[in-house]
Amino acid sequence: MTLPKRKPKKKRSVSTAKAVAWGWMSKYIRAKAADESGIAECVTCGSRKPWKEQQAGHFIPKARGGSVYFLEENIHVQCDVCNRWNGGRLIEYTRYMQETYGPEIVDRLLEVSRETLHRKLADYEALEFEYREKFNSLSMTKGDDWGSE
């Protein structure tokens, strides 16, 4: 008797791993900013909605490269209107960043954004693991129903 041949598991692509890691980081950033009722406030316009309806917006756009894509200091809660339709509302976001972190951090993020960083599959898998763990830990402190998406 011969066993049927199995298809080898397809190796995950770097782009898929990056998307999955971003999904977990986005959930963590939004959930971390939420209050005990699950409401998170947009850092640029102040709109308050359930964290699951908000987005994780980049201060320095992720299009500037991989060096700032996954930096927590660069990513905060934004509503869909501010993040997607109003280009991130850079003036308001800059004001928020300077008030929250100070001008030194804003300058450091700008410096980091000029650096080239090439992540590999293992790097994205490590980020996925880190932010899944952070989200799950946060979820446990907030309650069962609060963290499900």
Side-chain angles (χ1 to χ4, degrees), residues 1-147:
M1 175 178 179
T2 59
L3 297 174
K5 289 186 177 181
R6 286 183 161 175
K7 282 186 175 180
K9 265 191 169 181
K10 188 176 178 182
K11 188 177 178 181
R12 183 192 246 186
S13 72
V14 172
S15 61
T16 297
K18 181 179 181 180
V20 171
W22 171 249
W24 282 106
M25 184 175 201
S26 173
K27 282 174 75 168
Y28 172 71
I29 293 292
R30 294 177 289 131
K32 178 177 77 166
D35 64 17
E36 62 280 347
S37 303
I39 302 298
E41 185 175 315
C42 175
V43 299
T44 49
C45 77
S47 70
R48 296 176 48 76
K49 297 181 199 173
W51 70 267
K52 298 170 192 176
E53 296 174 19
Q54 299 282 40
Q55 295 185 358
H58 288 79
F59 170 58
I60 297 173
K62 55 188 177 185
R64 293 272 302 261
S67 58
V68 293
Y69 197 106
F70 286 94
L71 284 180
E72 282 188 49
E73 300 95 344
N74 190 48
I75 306 162
H76 302 86
V77 173
Q78 284 192 297
C79 67
D80 183 54
V81 173
C82 288
N83 190 35
R84 186 170 293 169
W85 305 112
N86 287 332
R89 293 184 69 173
L90 186 57
I91 293 170
E92 293 84 352
Y93 210 149
T94 301
R95 188 176 302 125
Y96 168 81
M97 293 294 289
Q98 289 179 335
E99 290 172 0
T100 304
Y101 298 106
E104 302 81 24
I105 294 295
V106 172
D107 291 342
R108 187 178 70 78
L109 287 172
L110 288 168
E111 280 181 40
V112 170
S113 75
R114 293 182 193 103
E115 297 171 6
T116 302
L117 176 65
H118 298 288
R119 288 189 170 99
K120 297 182 167 112
L121 178 64
D123 300 322
Y124 291 118
E125 289 174 338
L127 284 165
E128 173 190 352
F129 178 80
E130 176 185 351
Y131 284 99
R132 182 180 31 230
E133 291 297 308
K134 283 183 169 188
F135 176 79
N136 289 336
S137 176
L138 182 66
S139 223
M140 288 190 323
T141 64
K142 301 276 188 173
D144 292 336
D145 195 38
W146 182 90

